[in-house]
Amino acid sequence: DADVTQTPRNRITKTGKRIMLECSQTKGHDRMYWYRQDPGLGLRLIYYSFDVKDINKGEISDGYSVSRQAQAKFSLSLESAIPNQTALYFCATAPSASTDTQYFGPGTRLTVL
Amino acid sequence: GDSVTQMEGPVTLSEEAFLTINCTYTATGYPSLFWYVQYPGEGLQLLLKATKADDKGSNKGFEATYRKETTSFHLEKGSVQVSDSAVYFCALREGTYKYIFGTGTRLKVLA
């Protein structure tokens, strides 16, 4: 079984709809992240969380919100989706050690019409 | 702020050719450096990393050396295979939590 899972894997929605993307992990990591990937722009950080009570905005948090329901679960919401939020969204986890890397989920492809 | 610049792709090579993908960075401190690989339809996977100057990361025949004097972390492989076709991302870790990624370089290896 995958260590970091994301649901749904693909979603098509309409402008103005509320969308939730979910991420679960079995790695036991404290840190969780949400990124979006756009062609030619690499990955950009939306939100990150160090534990259930510690949630922080990343560089492009406008239009997004998150919820850390448990150590293993971190959800990303688009309150009112717009077309320029069409992108590939990745969840990632990391342990707290300062030199360790991140572990990525398989991604959710979101299309907003 | 800190940033990562990597060569634009796509890079197209024949099987068994030598690969170099350039990556340079700007950072105020001493970041850890990473190369990730993304295969079609999948998330990013760590390929290799280096945590201090002159460290060499290596994995699956790929290598990269942390060069502080040139602020570079170029990815190399002596003989690429068709299965190496993917998108490669250079990244740095700034401080204790923030990861900054390059824009990615697509590699296509032809049989």
Side-chain angles (χ1 to χ4, degrees), chain A residues 49-99:
Chain A
S49 171
F50 283 179
D51 64 38
V52 175
K53 297 181 180 179
D54 186 356
I55 294 176
N56 304 277
K57 293 182 178 180
E59 58 182 308
I60 55 163
S61 60
D62 287 350
Y64 301 95
S65 62
V66 291
S67 173
R68 185 82 183 264
Q69 301 96 323
Q71 187 205 34
K73 296 184 182 296
F74 193 37
S75 300
L76 176 72
S77 293
L78 288 67
E79 297 300 325
S80 180
I82 56 177
N84 76 1
Q85 292 177 314
T86 293
L88 191 53
Y89 290 84
F90 286 105
C91 174
T93 73
S96 299
S98 62
T99 58

Side-chain angles (χ1 to χ4, degrees), chain B residues 44-45 49 53 58 64 80 89 100-101 109:
Chain B
L44 280 69
Q45 304 173 23
K49 68 178 182 181
S58 62
V80 294
F89 290 90
I100 297 172
F101 290 84
V109 181

Side-chain angles (χ1 to χ4, degrees), chain A:
Chain A
D1 289 341
D3 295 319
V4 184
T5 57
Q6 293 184 234
T7 55
R9 293 294 312 275
N10 289 282
R11 181 72 183 268
I12 299 173
T13 191
K14 295 182 178 180
T15 298
K17 294 292 186 181
R18 184 178 188 275
I19 296 297
M20 179 180 285
L21 309 182
E22 299 186 345
C23 176
S24 295
Q25 54 118 345
T26 58
K27 298 191 76 67
H29 291 165
D30 290 326
R31 301 183 179 192
M32 298 188 74
Y33 302 74
W34 275 105
Y35 293 91
R36 65 178 279 175
Q37 182 182 21
D38 298 277
L41 295 178
L43 275 70
R44 292 182 292 167
L45 181 63
I46 306 172
Y47 271 94
Y48 63 99
S49 171
F50 283 179
D51 64 38
V52 175
K53 297 181 180 179
D54 186 356
I55 294 176
N56 304 277
K57 293 182 178 180
E59 58 182 308
I60 55 163
S61 60
D62 287 350
Y64 301 95
S65 62
V66 291
S67 173
R68 185 82 183 264
Q69 301 96 323
Q71 187 205 34
K73 296 184 182 296
F74 193 37
S75 300
L76 176 72
S77 293
L78 288 67
E79 297 300 325
S80 180
I82 56 177
N84 76 1
Q85 292 177 314
T86 293
L88 191 53
Y89 290 84
F90 286 105
C91 174
T93 73
S96 299
S98 62
T99 58
D100 277 330
T101 187
Q102 297 179 303
Y103 299 83
F104 284 81
T108 294
R109 184 168 296 282
L110 177 66
T111 302
V112 183
L113 302 177

Side-chain angles (χ1 to χ4, degrees), chain B residues 19 21 35 37 39 47-48 56-64 75-81 83-85 88 107:
Chain B
L19 168 71
I21 300 178
W35 276 102
V37 58
Y39 298 104
L47 182 59
L48 52 84
K56 177 184 284 188
S58 62
N59 185 28
K60 299 180 181 180
F62 291 89
E63 294 183 341
L75 182 68
E76 297 181 335
K77 186 175 186 182
S79 177
V80 294
Q81 305 300 310
S83 57
D84 294 326
S85 298
Y88 292 82
L107 170 66

